[in-house]
Amino acid sequence: MRCGYFDAGVCRSCTLLAQPYPDQVDAQARHVRAVLGDPADVGWLPTVVSAEAGFRNKAKMVVAGTVDAPTLGILDAHGHGVDLQGCPLYPAALSASFAPLAAFVTRASLTPYDVPTRAGELKHVLVTASPDGELMVRFVLRSTEALARIRKHLPSLRSDLPHLVVASVNVQPAHAAVLEGDHEILLTERATLRMRVNGLDLHLRPRSFFQTNTEIAAALYRQAVAWADEAAVTSVWDLYSGVGGFALHLARPGRDVVGVETSAEAVASAELTARDARLPGTRFLVGDATAFALAATDVPDLVVVNPPRRGLGEPLSRRLEASGVPRVLYSSCHAGSLARDLTHMPSLRLVRAQVLDMFPHTHHHEVLTLLERTP
């Protein structure tokens, strides 16, 4: 992939872009195996590769500049805006939204937040595109001062972006490197964006997490299903279940699936998908994964964990070790935290693994592993 921003030195977010893509993939696989100690007798599946461009389903655009000339992109070292509307990581549905959104900033008189002076209102514009080309747009504001103007001019934005189906305002008042706040104000009739993955409509609410790369996420879920079906599991816990990607894909007649997630919005999204798809034996709970596992009096055939970069942590890892659960399917975005967690689960042996290139041109990765209890 060629990128004029990278060549000009104005954006280096894709740190590996100068390397040929096949070399990036090979190095990533070697890195993951090395961090995990390259254990013997592990069945490593081929790395799942991504499209090199146009793969991101979400744009997190910092808004800077002025009302009349806003920039959408990132900030430079001095806190000034670098416009990245032509970034090749975004598919056409996202790229086509940037110019109308910049024009909307001007039309609604949304003053971009200036980091050096701590003045202004609009901090970010977050845009998510579904596989069907529908859009969710979120305006991250310092306060609700501009809310009335956004509501007033929203019809014109929807006219410019006919595929815009969900819009909201998020309030993040702190001067801190925090993307969004806790207060979300929905502006549209629809509250969810339908993310069609492997024929399943996952409902994504404004503050719900979803993987950045839809095609690689689909491959991740397919592989998890293949391993679970091969083992003929009849009961599953999906800890850190999010909007239910793993749990809903694993749902089958005769299989009991419980998803546990701290975000009430994500749980509501998962429940909506389960109802729409009429998936039997599927329940979702709002709660902490570690607290749920520690309080449980029985264990399922399979535990699925997909934690944040910090990993499971020692309490949950040790609980899984002591629980007697026969299998754990661990999806990790950080091989180092995965390796640490594995040291607390010595009875659960790594038997299969696959690296998935969720984030091309970077050192980030996703690795799916299957752990089985040794006799």
Side-chain angles (χ1 to χ4, degrees), residues 40 56 96 114 119 127 137 145 153 163 168 194-195 207 238 251 255-256 263 297 312 352 374:
R56 288 190 66 97
D114 183 69
V127 193
V137 174
E145 181 273 332
H153 294 284
H163 297 296
S168 67
R194 287 189 295 267
M195 303 294 289
R207 296 186 64 229
D238 179 9
R255 178 182 292 168
D256 182 64
S263 168
T297 57
L312 300 179
R352 294 185 186 177
T374 55

Side-chain angles (χ1 to χ4, degrees), residues 83 129 134 141 172 176 223-224 250 336 347 366 375:
D83 194 87
E134 292 185 331
L141 300 173
Q172 202 293 84
Q223 188 56 62
L250 290 167
S347 297
E366 192 79 19

Side-chain angles (χ1 to χ4, degrees), residues 3 12 31 49 67 77 105 119 129 181 185 187 200 272 276 285 287 289 293 322 324 328 335:
C3 174
R12 292 288 175 165
H31 168 75
V49 298
V67 171
V105 171
I185 303 168
L187 304 176
L200 188 66
L272 179 57
D276 285 354
L285 308 173
V328 172

Side-chain angles (χ1 to χ4, degrees), residues 5-328:
Y5 302 115
F6 185 89
D7 293 342
V10 298
C11 178
R12 292 288 175 165
S13 299
C14 295
T15 53
L16 303 180
L17 191 57
Q19 298 181 20
Y21 184 58
D23 293 348
Q24 296 179 32
V25 172
D26 290 344
Q28 194 73 274
R30 291 195 304 271
H31 168 75
V32 170
R33 293 179 68 150
V35 170
L36 296 181
D38 204 7
D41 302 324
V42 175
W44 285 92
L45 298 181
T47 297
V48 178
V49 298
S50 170
E52 294 185 45
F55 60 84
R56 288 190 66 97
N57 56 35
K58 185 174 185 177
K60 302 176 182 179
M61 308 298 272
V62 179
V63 184
T66 66
V67 171
D68 293 328
T71 62
L72 304 183
I74 60 174
L75 298 179
D76 64 17
H78 304 289
H80 301 135
V82 176
D83 194 87
L84 298 180
Q85 293 187 44
C87 174
L89 298 183
Y90 300 119
L94 281 181
S95 296
S97 74
F98 297 149
L101 285 167
F104 181 77
V105 171
T106 302
R107 187 182 310 124
S109 298
L110 304 178
T111 306
Y113 184 70
D114 183 69
V115 172
T117 63
R118 304 191 180 192
E121 282 294 319
L122 180 60
K123 294 184 172 184
H124 300 89
V125 172
L126 311 179
V127 193
T128 305
S130 77
D132 298 324
E134 292 185 331
L135 298 175
M136 176 164 61
V137 174
R138 302 171 64 205
F139 300 95
V140 181
L141 300 173
R142 190 183 184 188
S143 73
T144 57
E145 181 273 332
L147 181 58
R149 296 196 302 280
I150 291 176
R151 290 188 186 276
K152 174 183 177 181
H153 294 284
L154 186 61
S156 67
L157 179 61
R158 300 189 76 170
S159 177
D160 292 342
L161 294 176
H163 297 296
L164 172 60
V165 296
V166 181
S168 67
V169 161
N170 179 273
V171 183
Q172 202 293 84
H175 180 78
V178 178
L179 183 66
E180 60 187 59
D182 295 330
H183 185 37
E184 195 86 21
I185 303 168
L186 189 66
L187 304 176
T188 50
E189 302 82 9
R190 270 185 52 179
T192 67
L193 183 69
R194 287 189 295 267
M195 303 294 289
R196 179 167 290 273
V197 182
N198 297 320
L200 188 66
D201 277 344
L202 300 176
H203 288 268
L204 186 63
R205 291 173 184 265
R207 296 186 64 229
S208 299
F209 169 79
F210 188 76
Q211 297 283 7
T212 300
N213 190 323
T214 306
E215 290 301 317
I216 300 301
L220 178 72
Y221 298 141
R222 288 195 300 270
Q223 188 56 62
V225 168
W227 285 344
D229 287 351
E230 181 182 324
V233 300
T234 59
S235 55
V236 179
W237 291 350
D238 179 9
L239 307 182
Y240 308 94
S241 58
V243 297
F246 281 107
L248 295 164
H249 276 84
L250 290 167
R252 295 283 187 279
R255 178 182 292 168
D256 182 64
V257 179
V258 178
V260 182
E261 167 60 43
T262 58
S263 168
E265 280 207 350
V267 167
S269 297
E271 290 175 335
L272 179 57
T273 300
R275 287 197 300 270
D276 285 354
R278 299 179 181 178
L279 295 174
T282 306
R283 295 181 293 130
F284 292 92
L285 308 173
V286 178
D288 176 75
T290 301
F292 172 84
L294 290 173
T297 57
D298 58 358
V299 293
D301 295 339
L302 173 69
V303 172
V304 178
V305 289
N306 183 25
R309 286 178 62 82
R310 64 178 180 272
L312 300 179
E314 187 172 345
L316 181 52
S317 299
R318 290 197 181 279
R319 167 57 179 152
L320 294 177
E321 166 67 16
S323 69
V325 63
R327 299 171 195 83
V328 172

Side-chain angles (χ1 to χ4, degrees), residues 318-342:
R318 290 197 181 279
R319 167 57 179 152
L320 294 177
E321 166 67 16
S323 69
V325 63
R327 299 171 195 83
V328 172
L329 198 156
Y330 192 141
S331 182
S332 171
C333 61
H334 191 275
S337 60
L338 169 60
R340 288 194 300 272
D341 289 339
L342 291 179

